[in-house]
């Protein structure tokens, strides 16, 4: 399932996408999907079947969220169907597959984050517009959304190459009985990063474990791969440390979690 920034979803079988080597350029997405001018794919979900007990959580740049039963998208229309109705100027930035009781974390460019349980969002139909996930300050926008996973930390990186990992329980509030619980959706959230002129705004976030690698990409085309375990764990509201040297005039634009590369055996 390919989701676009305009809120549409397209279905394709894996064999309909040309196979190529690791270093190959690949096929232009417009040769695979009937996209409109200026439309781009922002999320992808891989599945063999549509489970009645699973959901999809959609997140937009302006902080709107929508929870839809996974089976609601079980169609074979080749032209694509509407998955969410967007407000003027808004964009769909991520779609996350959930099991019905997951905690979600949204992060913003100005260093805020909110953690809420998906059951705080009622399931909706395909044409619905969604509800408020996080209240944004003027000029702020959502740059990342993840599903909390046990044994992981939240890696946050900034435009100028700074980053840090933070334990997920840092994003929970203390409940009435002293237990850590998610807050309600729609609030301002908690401070996730100490943004300064030196760090620049938050560029992205992802969940990582100590056994993962991380791919960092800057807009000049430079990509580096580093082990997640080598990035320090800090509290929410700190500046972090430099993890990628960015050339003057460029910015870090994306971070992705990838499986660690196996160590090559020494050749005799």
């Amino acid at each position: 399932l390919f989701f676009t920034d305009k809120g549409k979803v397209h279905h394709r079988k894996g064999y309909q996408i040309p196979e190529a080597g690791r270093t190959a350029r690949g096929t232009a997405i417009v040769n695979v999907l009937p996209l409109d001018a200026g439309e781009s794919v922002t999320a992808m979900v891989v599945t063999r079947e549509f489970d009645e007990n699973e959901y999809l959580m959609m997140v937009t740049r302006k902080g709107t969220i929508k929870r839809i039963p996974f089976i609601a998208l079980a169609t074979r229309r080749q032209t694509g169907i509407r998955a969410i109705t967007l407000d003027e100027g808004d964009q769909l930035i991520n779609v996350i597959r959930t099991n019905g009781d997951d905690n979600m974390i949204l992060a913003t460019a100005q260093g805020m984050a909110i953690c809420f349980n998906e059951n705080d969002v009622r399931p909706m139909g395909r044409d619905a517009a969604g509800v408020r996930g996080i209240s944004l300050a003027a000029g702020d926008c959502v740059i990342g959304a993840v599903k909390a996973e046990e044994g992981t930390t939240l890696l946050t990186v900034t435009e100028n190459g700074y980053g840090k990992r933070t334990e997920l329980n840092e994003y929970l509030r203390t409940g009435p009985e002293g237990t850590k619980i998610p807050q309600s959706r729609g609030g301002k959230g908690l401070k996730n990063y100490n943004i300064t002129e030196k760090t620049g705004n938050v560029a992205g976030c992802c969940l990582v474990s100590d056994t993962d690698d991380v791919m960092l990409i800057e807009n000049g085309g430079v990509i580096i791969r580093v082990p997640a375990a080598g990035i320090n764990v800090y509290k929410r509201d700190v500046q972090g440390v430099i993890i990628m040297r960015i050339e003057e005039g460029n910015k870090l634009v994306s971070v992705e979690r990838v499986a660690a590369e196996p160590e090559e055996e020494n050749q005799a």
Side-chain angles (χ1 to χ4, degrees), residues 56-71:
L56 295 176
M57 183 69 75
M58 303 179 191
V59 182
T60 78
R61 190 164 299 281
K62 291 186 177 181
T64 296
I65 54 175
K66 176 181 174 180
R67 183 177 177 227
I68 185 172
F70 197 12
I71 199 168

Side-chain angles (χ1 to χ4, degrees), residues 40-72:
S40 61
V41 173
T42 54
M44 183 179 71
V45 174
V46 179
T47 187
R48 288 185 176 272
E49 57 186 21
F50 294 85
D51 194 320
E52 295 182 354
N53 299 316
E54 291 186 319
Y55 297 85
L56 295 176
M57 183 69 75
M58 303 179 191
V59 182
T60 78
R61 190 164 299 281
K62 291 186 177 181
T64 296
I65 54 175
K66 176 181 174 180
R67 183 177 177 227
I68 185 172
F70 197 12
I71 199 168

Side-chain angles (χ1 to χ4, degrees), residues 1-21:
L1 282 70
F2 294 91
F3 294 85
T4 75
D5 56 350
K6 295 185 178 181
K8 291 184 179 179
V9 57
H10 297 266
H11 293 242
R12 288 295 182 272
K13 292 288 189 181
Y15 61 76
Q16 294 177 292
I17 302 169
E19 187 174 350

Side-chain angles (χ1 to χ4, degrees), residues 3-188:
F3 294 85
T4 75
D5 56 350
K6 295 185 178 181
K8 291 184 179 179
V9 57
H10 297 266
H11 293 242
R12 288 295 182 272
K13 292 288 189 181
Y15 61 76
Q16 294 177 292
I17 302 169
E19 187 174 350
R22 181 171 59 87
T23 58
R25 184 176 181 179
T27 302
I29 197 71
V30 294
N31 294 329
V32 180
L33 305 175
L35 301 180
D36 295 334
E39 187 176 17
S40 61
V41 173
T42 54
M44 183 179 71
V45 174
V46 179
T47 187
R48 288 185 176 272
E49 57 186 21
F50 294 85
D51 194 320
E52 295 182 354
N53 299 316
E54 291 186 319
Y55 297 85
L56 295 176
M57 183 69 75
M58 303 179 191
V59 182
T60 78
R61 190 164 299 281
K62 291 186 177 181
T64 296
I65 54 175
K66 176 181 174 180
R67 183 177 177 227
I68 185 172
F70 197 12
I71 199 168
L73 298 184
T75 176
R76 290 293 176 263
R77 282 181 55 182
Q78 293 296 304
T79 56
I81 58 175
R82 181 156 304 283
I84 182 173
T85 299
L86 298 172
D87 292 336
E88 182 71 26
D90 203 359
Q91 293 179 318
L92 180 66
I93 64 168
N94 202 3
V95 179
I96 302 170
R97 191 172 178 174
T98 68
N99 65 17
D101 194 30
D102 286 315
N103 287 339
M104 314 301 300
I105 299 176
L106 310 185
T108 79
Q110 294 180 7
M112 300 300 290
I114 190 170
C115 178
F116 59 90
N117 188 272
E118 67 169 294
N119 284 303
D120 208 6
V121 186
R122 64 176 177 80
M124 306 173 199
R126 286 196 295 107
D127 293 330
V131 294
R132 176 63 50 202
I134 184 171
S135 294
L136 299 172
D140 202 2
C141 64
V142 176
I143 50 82
V146 299
K147 177 179 71 175
E149 299 174 10
E150 189 174 348
T152 64
T153 52
L154 182 68
L155 170 64
T156 306
V157 297
T158 71
E159 293 175 338
N160 293 340
Y162 283 76
K164 66 177 178 69
R165 292 189 294 151
T166 303
E167 298 289 348
L168 297 189
N169 60 13
E170 290 271 321
Y171 299 93
L172 300 176
R173 293 189 183 275
T174 302
E177 298 180 359
T179 56
K180 291 287 189 177
I181 58 173
Q183 72 175 97
S184 298
R185 67 163 181 84
K188 294 182 178 180

Side-chain angles (χ1 to χ4, degrees), residues 201-219:
N201 281 342
V202 173
C205 67
C206 64
L207 290 184
V208 296
S209 67
D210 285 345
T211 58
D212 290 324
D213 281 355
V214 177
M215 298 280 280
L216 301 166
I217 307 167
E218 56 112 271
N219 60 357

